Amino acid sequence: MIQAIDHLGIAVRSLDEAVPLYEKALGLRCLGREEVASQKVRTAFFDAGGVHLELLEPTSDDSPVAKFLAERGEGIHHLAFRTDDIGAQLKQAADAGVRLIHAQPFEGAGGKLVAFLHPKSTRGVLTEFCAVKPGATAAH
Ligand code: ZN
């Protein structure tokens, strides 16, 4: 079951340029940075009242975020829902005819399990499911 909006992913060309914007213009505190090798991105997280903002900077030209930036420029990249059962969530989406980018969850930022739905079958919104790995405590 979906429990909450966990975070919004925002594609940026440079964390070093984007982080001060969120800190100075919005007064948000950066909770930390992390490189996510599986997605070829560096991330910086902010807390906005329980919903996190996840700034994403590509680490290579073949990163999915690099492709997004080339096609659409900087901006909102994905919407992530927290779920208590990522496998059941993926099955429900697939059963409803939604195309999955990942049929199996993998480890994303913060050690969470994540999987994405294809934006072509979700009305243009790249949708992520994320779940805390069993036995793990969420870093962010
Ligand atoms: Zn995400």
Side-chain angles (χ1 to χ4, degrees):
M1 199 173 80
I2 285 176
Q3 299 170 314
I5 291 177
D6 186 80
H7 63 272
L8 281 172
I10 299 168
V12 300
R13 293 205 168 79
S14 162
L15 287 184
D16 288 337
E17 290 176 14
V19 165
L21 170 73
Y22 286 84
E23 289 176 330
K24 290 181 184 148
L26 300 181
L28 296 173
R29 191 169 61 88
C30 185
L31 300 177
R33 297 190 186 199
E34 180 185 349
E35 184 156 343
V36 185
S38 63
Q39 291 289 83
K40 297 180 179 172
V41 293
R42 269 187 290 274
T43 67
F45 278 85
F46 293 85
D47 178 55
V51 177
H52 286 182
L53 304 179
E54 180 188 72
L55 304 188
L56 304 158
E57 174 196 270
T59 55
S60 86
D61 288 343
D62 63 344
S63 161
V65 173
K67 286 176 196 149
F68 179 92
L69 286 169
E71 288 169 17
R72 297 171 66 170
E74 293 184 309
I76 292 178
H77 176 262
H78 67 271
L79 173 62
F81 293 103
R82 191 182 317 135
T83 171
D84 58 355
D85 187 339
I86 199 164
Q89 216 70 56
L90 287 169
K91 183 179 184 311
Q92 180 174 350
D95 288 349
V98 169
R99 193 169 134 205
L100 310 180
I101 296 178
H102 309 102
Q104 298 293 331
F106 62 96
E107 191 165 321
K112 288 179 192 163
L113 291 174
V114 302
F116 288 83
L117 308 181
H118 201 287
K120 286 214 166 85
S121 60
T122 52
R123 304 279 160 186
V125 179
L126 177 58
T127 302
E128 173 185 337
F129 293 133
C130 65
V132 176
K133 267 203 314 195
T137 49
H140 47 66

